[in-house]
Amino acid sequence: MNNKWGFVDINGNVVIEPKWDYVTDFAFGRASVSDYRSNIVKLIDKNSNFIGGDFWDYTGNIYFNNELSEDLILVEKNKKFGIVSVSGDVIIPPQYDNILSGSEYGEFLLKKDKKYFSINLKI
């Protein structure tokens, strides 16, 4: 509406006012909303409450073996990547040049300063 995004329920009732420049679909009760003027991305719940204390430059879903993780969200801040939980808790601070998920749940390949690290989070 008026070049702004919000959310409606299946009956067409507005449940989150259209005030955002861009939104993502909800996944596991969370969505990303963007405000281009302030250059922020924030996670919200289905009641439009902000999740976590940080604003991000980017958020994205994390997949394992082509299945969406219910627990983790990839975030970017100042061109560095990290991982947060769906409750907004920072699991891996955004300090890596790249983060790739591995073949098994909880395994990640992290890149920082041309070095690679492998970790297993088992959340």
Side-chain angles (χ1 to χ4, degrees):
M1 181 179 292
N2 297 324
N3 293 321
K4 296 292 182 181
W5 291 82
F7 294 90
V8 296
D9 63 18
I10 60 172
N11 297 316
N13 300 313
V14 174
V15 292
I16 296 178
E17 292 296 323
K19 61 181 180 180
W20 302 103
D21 294 315
Y22 181 76
V23 298
T24 64
D25 293 335
F26 274 90
F28 308 108
R30 304 293 184 255
S32 295
V33 293
S34 300
D35 180 349
Y36 296 151
R37 283 181 308 165
S38 59
N39 206 21
I40 64 162
V41 177
K42 189 73 174 163
L43 297 173
I44 62 168
D45 64 16
K46 290 187 177 184
N47 295 317
S48 194
N49 298 315
F50 289 132
I51 304 300
D54 287 317
F55 293 98
W56 308 106
D57 299 329
Y58 167 83
T59 65
N61 296 323
I62 293 181
Y63 291 87
F64 302 103
N65 294 327
N66 296 321
E67 292 186 25
L68 185 62
S69 166
E70 296 183 30
D71 306 306
L72 305 172
I73 301 168
L74 180 71
V75 294
E76 179 189 3
K77 191 168 194 170
N78 300 322
K79 300 184 181 178
K80 298 292 182 182
F81 292 92
I83 296 174
V84 299
S85 70
V86 293
S87 60
D89 297 324
V90 176
I91 306 294
I92 297 175
Q95 60 186 355
Y96 294 94
D97 300 321
N98 201 356
I99 296 180
L100 303 169
S101 62
S103 60
E104 298 295 324
Y105 183 75
E107 292 181 2
F108 293 92
L109 183 64
L110 312 173
K111 180 184 178 191
K112 184 176 183 179
D113 301 327
K114 299 183 183 180
K115 295 179 183 175
Y116 291 88
F117 307 89
S118 178
I119 64 167
N120 190 314
L121 292 179
K122 292 293 182 194
I123 292 177

